[in-house]
Amino acid sequence: MLTRVTTGYAAFLALGLRSRFVRCVGGGVVVIGIVAPVMLARRRGERLGYTRRGLGRGVAWGLGIGALMAALTVSIYGLTSPPLGWAQLLIAVVLWPLALSPFQENVFRGWMQPRLQDALGRAMALLVTSSAFAFWHLAPPLAGTSTSPISFAAPIPLALAFVLGLLTGWARQTTDSMIASWLGHALAGLAIVAVGQMTFLQYTE
């Protein structure tokens, strides 16, 4: 089990690194992150965790995580609006919940964490998955580019990624659902866009 998780994570990390040099690979990383965990779960006769069971609780947890991460983000980066701010947010409202959040959450909280939990126990699985999630942010698509000027190689953004991993992972364990993790991560991503640390439209005078 641990060997499979390590191999899968290494492959996902390698694809993220590759996408920094071959931009079209980034789309492949997103598609793989969304589809592969779902297919692997079905192969085991399981569901990834997107169910109506405990929906209200999952939404409440997700909103709480999103609010906390938004507060941390604003306290660090301030409320400076990016150029074309409303347009950036409109794009983000579509991309974060439909693509950017699920491809990461499916891999880390949907696929990795339950398997590590079987092998290592709840507490260690949460810690290892959150660390792997934060480390992956050193090499994902977009980070450190004109689209996402935030550099996760810096201590504070890397710490934010680790905290987000802990919160979404804890929610996954507590609610036994992916709804909270997906929603909380999506809202955290929207906060990054709102303070200008991620942009989709480039502005030139």
Side-chain angles (χ1 to χ4, degrees):
M1 179 68 71
L2 289 177
T3 301
R4 291 181 180 178
V5 171
T6 301
T7 302
Y9 174 68
F12 195 63
L13 187 66
L15 283 172
L17 283 170
R18 184 62 177 167
S19 71
R20 300 291 295 276
F21 305 100
V22 183
R23 300 303 297 273
C24 63
V25 176
V29 174
V30 174
V31 171
I32 290 170
I34 292 174
V35 175
V38 175
M39 299 302 294
L40 290 171
R42 287 182 177 178
R43 186 175 297 177
R44 296 178 64 181
E46 302 171 352
R47 300 183 68 176
L48 199 61
Y50 295 101
T51 66
R52 294 181 180 179
R53 184 181 61 188
L55 179 61
R57 189 182 185 197
V59 170
W61 270 81
L63 291 174
I65 292 170
L68 177 57
M69 292 304 301
L72 287 173
T73 300
V74 171
S75 69
I76 292 170
Y77 297 105
L79 283 171
T80 303
S81 178
L84 306 173
W86 284 109
Q88 310 282 9
L89 282 173
L90 284 174
I91 296 172
V93 165
V94 175
L95 287 184
W96 267 105
L98 295 182
L100 301 181
S101 173
F103 98 84
Q104 296 176 63
E105 289 307 312
N106 284 6
V107 169
F108 290 100
R109 260 62 66 177
W111 173 75
M112 178 181 284
Q113 185 167 306
R115 285 162 175 76
L116 289 178
Q117 193 167 298
D118 290 342
L120 304 174
R122 290 169 63 91
M124 186 59 69
L126 177 60
L127 180 61
V128 172
T129 303
S130 301
S131 299
F133 175 69
F135 183 77
W136 178 82
H137 276 76
L138 296 174
L142 305 180
T145 68
S146 59
T147 297
S148 184
I150 186 172
S151 174
F152 285 96
I156 291 177
L158 196 62
L160 278 177
F162 180 71
V163 169
L164 178 60
L166 284 176
L167 291 173
T168 52
W170 186 26
R172 175 73 167 100
Q173 290 180 341
T174 302
T175 66
D176 196 30
S177 168
M178 286 288 290
I179 300 298
S181 302
W182 161 74
L183 179 59
H185 195 158
L187 293 174
L190 290 176
I192 290 291
V193 176
V195 300
Q197 290 300 307
M198 185 174 193
T199 57
F200 301 99
L201 301 173
Q202 303 308 311
Y203 175 78
T204 57
E205 296 183 353

